[in-house]
Amino acid sequence: MLGIVDRFEGKYIVVEVEDKIYNVKKDISKEELKEGDVVNLEIRDKIVISIKKNLQETQKRKEYIKNLSKDMWN
């Protein structure tokens, strides 16, 4: 399942997935994540058991946002 890192709160990574919010313990991730990163979540029994950065989708999202903001100012 794909999600987007929304923010960090204490020991948690707040991830938005469609209309849901998941609070994921930071120690589950072995990678350094940033706000706006697209991540793959593995969820079992409504609990996130793994989180991994999706480099390809993160890059697509950055380009999309860059193009949106470019169009706003032209």
Side-chain angles (χ1 to χ4, degrees):
M1 174 178 297
L2 286 179
I4 298 173
V5 175
D6 183 58
R7 63 187 180 279
F8 298 89
E9 291 185 356
K11 297 179 183 180
Y12 294 93
I13 305 165
V14 180
V15 180
E16 184 177 336
V17 178
E18 296 173 6
D19 60 342
K20 296 180 183 170
I21 298 291
Y22 290 92
N23 294 310
V24 182
K25 288 187 176 182
K26 285 182 181 177
D27 60 0
I28 290 178
S29 176
K30 306 296 184 228
E31 303 172 297
E32 186 169 326
L33 299 173
K34 299 179 291 204
E35 292 175 358
D37 283 347
V38 178
V39 292
N40 292 322
L41 297 175
E42 185 178 346
I43 301 171
R44 192 172 300 146
D45 297 326
K46 298 182 183 180
I47 297 173
V48 176
I49 60 170
S50 75
I51 182 171
K52 190 170 188 177
K53 186 173 180 176
N54 186 315
L55 295 172
Q56 185 178 19
E57 291 298 322
T58 296
Q59 189 59 38
K60 279 185 193 178
R61 186 170 188 273
K62 284 181 182 180
E63 289 297 320
Y64 174 74
I65 291 170
K66 181 179 174 182
N67 288 332
L68 275 180
S69 62
K70 182 172 47 174
D71 291 342
M72 272 176 54
W73 304 110
N74 289 331

